[in-house]
Amino acid sequence: MFVPALMDDLSISPAQIGFISSAFVCTYMVCQVPAGLMIDRWGARWAMFVALLAITLGCLLFSWADTWQMAVLGRMLMGVAAAAGITGCMYLAGNWYPAAWFPLIAGIIEMVAMLGGGAGSVMLETYDGQWRSAFLDMAVLAAAIAIAIALFVRDRPAFARDKNLNDPDESDPQALGLVDTLGKLMHLPVFWICAFYGGVIYALISSFAQLWCIPYLNSLYPECPRQVAEGTALIFLGLAVGTPLCGMMASLTGKNKPVLVGGAVLVAVAMWVVMYQPLSLLGMSAILFFMGLASGSYALVYGAVRNVVCSRIRATAIALLNALMLLGSPLFQPVSGWLLDRALASQGTLDATSYQVAMLPLLACMLLSIPLCFLINEQRPKRPARRLRHAHVWIVRGKWLNCIR
């Protein structure tokens, strides 16, 4: 009901709705690296505070929009500001928790981000088309979070510093200049492997799960449209569970690479079964959930990159990694769409075989990521997370007061 109400109020076309939607995504991707640079220079606290104020302004502009250009401006401002979100959270996690815990915390951050996106969509529907009221309330919520961050968040609490990060010291040549360090980052094989790995899984979610899974399953089970939609939703449920689960496995073992390899193998197998093996709808739903669960391994690429870069550019490295991963969607979606167009032109209709052919490039890239993961030469924390079972006591036993001094 949100989109039809927006189209009626602003008298805009579906193409203009698509432009409004893409304005957020494009600015979000473009501003990833600038946001990382700002966090590395000034810290996450004030960067996220300013970003949330900008989101507040963007929501207000969108709610007051009387033309589609004003709506686009509001969405662009939201995208610019949102770029600091994931990167800022990862930066804080790296400073507040031991390095061995970073994969788990990164998985939890990704899970909360996904749940937040889903909750936002549900919240919009509860406003029954009153989109202006919805974005006004979002502006109030963003302002409240900005105030909370300014009051309570600190970048580097002294008691939470990890002595086992293997960071280069200030005399390390890698830490002398930002430009030189970024140049070295671009020459790190592990960085590009992780970007490819994460980009393929992002493309799996955006191209297959969000676009083509329901039409594909409808071609297999035309009599069960509701069950097909519920089965597709299990991919996202599995992903929400899989990100912290994979992070926990990496934290407990102190190794990212085995979980990355295992996740790639399981995702490839699950995708092959979904696309090319006859199953009942119940069995298909179970495999889709399993595929989402294994896809949660993508959250570990942040930890793999974090462990091999110096602390001065960690936020920039994570931001650039996130931007490259997001490129998976605009790269794979046109390819699958082109293959489906060819099938439609030759057959006049799309059947299960058409979707199977269209997903072959994605499956091939998923298989390619498996041997690439073996090339990752990761630096691991010396202290495994299983020795920190009582870390919650370490954090809350009164020392947290140091962070507000």
Side-chain angles (χ1 to χ4, degrees):
M1 298 184 67
F2 162 70
V3 172
L6 182 62
M7 292 175 65
D8 290 341
D9 285 357
L10 300 182
S11 300
I12 57 179
S13 66
Q16 290 171 316
I17 282 287
F19 195 82
I20 291 172
S21 176
S22 64
F24 176 90
V25 178
C26 293
T27 53
Y28 176 80
M29 290 178 60
V30 169
C31 293
Q32 283 291 314
V33 173
L37 291 169
M38 185 169 63
I39 291 170
D40 277 325
R41 185 174 181 87
W42 292 296
R45 179 193 181 193
W46 295 114
M48 295 174 73
F49 174 75
V50 172
L52 280 161
L53 291 183
I55 289 176
T56 301
L57 179 58
C59 289
L60 289 175
L61 281 176
F62 194 85
S63 66
W64 296 335
D66 53 5
T67 64
W68 78 277
Q69 291 92 342
M70 189 173 176
V72 168
L73 180 61
R75 290 293 287 169
M76 289 179 67
L77 190 55
M78 292 182 218
V80 170
I86 291 293
T87 303
C89 291
M90 296 287 184
Y91 178 90
L92 292 172
N95 289 340
W96 278 71
Y97 290 91
W101 278 61
F102 186 82
L104 173 59
I105 304 302
I108 294 173
I109 291 170
E110 289 291 312
M111 178 190 69
V112 173
M114 287 183 286
L115 294 178
S121 300
V122 172
M123 188 185 78
L124 284 176
E125 294 301 322
T126 62
Y127 280 82
D128 196 24
Q130 301 298 316
W131 60 275
R132 295 184 187 274
S133 298
F135 278 88
L136 278 173
D137 289 348
M138 288 184 188
V140 173
L141 179 60
I145 296 174
I147 294 171
I149 285 177
L151 291 176
F152 300 111
V153 171
R154 295 296 182 271
D155 290 313
R156 297 181 180 276
F159 67 89
R161 288 179 181 171
D162 187 14
K163 302 302 183 183
N164 297 306
L165 293 177
N166 297 321
D167 287 341
D169 58 28
E170 296 300 318
S171 63
D172 194 315
Q174 189 183 15
L176 290 177
L178 180 61
V179 174
D180 293 337
T181 311
L182 282 174
K184 291 186 177 182
L185 172 65
M186 301 299 288
H187 287 86
L188 285 175
V190 63
F191 180 82
W192 294 105
I193 293 171
C194 288
F196 180 82
Y197 185 100
V200 171
I201 293 188
Y202 262 67
L204 173 67
I205 301 302
S206 61
S207 295
F208 178 67
Q210 292 182 342
L211 286 182
W212 308 121
C213 186
I214 289 181
Y216 168 64
L217 294 183
N218 279 331
S219 69
L220 295 177
Y221 315 101
E223 70 285 354
C224 306
R226 180 180 176 182
Q227 289 82 355
V228 162
E230 292 172 350
T232 303
L234 289 176
I235 299 177
F236 301 96
L237 178 60
L239 187 61
V241 175
T243 48
L245 181 63
C246 292
M248 182 176 66
M249 293 170 60
S251 290
L252 291 176
T253 60
K255 300 177 182 179
N256 291 309
K257 183 161 67 174
V259 184
L260 288 170
V261 173
V265 170
L266 294 177
V267 170
V269 170
M271 190 174 179
W272 176 76
V273 171
V274 166
M275 300 304 300
Y276 305 110
Q277 294 300 309
L279 293 171
S280 65
L281 182 54
L282 180 61
M284 182 69 74
S285 299
I287 296 297
L288 289 174
F289 175 80
F290 182 77
M291 183 167 66
L293 194 71
S295 298
S297 59
Y298 85 90
L300 302 185
V301 299
Y302 297 108
V305 169
R306 176 189 177 276
N307 288 341
V308 295
V309 298
C310 70
S311 59
R312 283 192 177 185
I313 61 156
R314 272 205 187 121
T316 306
I318 289 174
L320 182 58
L321 175 66
N322 198 41
L324 292 174
M325 287 164 60
L326 291 173
L327 287 176
S329 300
L331 289 177
F332 277 99
Q333 286 176 358
V335 172
S336 59
W338 177 72
L339 290 173
L340 289 172
D341 281 344
R342 290 191 59 184
L344 187 61
S346 61
Q347 301 172 190
T349 185
L350 295 177
D351 56 12
T353 304
S354 304
Y355 294 104
Q356 291 167 353
V357 172
M359 292 300 110
L360 271 176
L362 192 57
L363 178 59
C365 288
M366 198 72 245
L367 291 170
L368 177 61
S369 69
I370 298 172
L372 288 178
C373 286
F374 284 101
L375 301 178
I376 295 176
N377 184 20
E378 61 178 346
Q379 296 178 12
R380 300 190 296 272
K382 296 177 181 178
R383 181 172 53 188
R386 59 178 174 269
R387 296 183 184 176
L388 299 173
R389 290 188 296 270
H390 306 296
H392 60 285
V393 178
W394 169 72
I395 293 171
V396 303
R397 60 183 176 183
K399 292 185 178 179
W400 66 273
L401 292 172
N402 292 337
C403 72
I404 61 175
R405 291 178 180 175

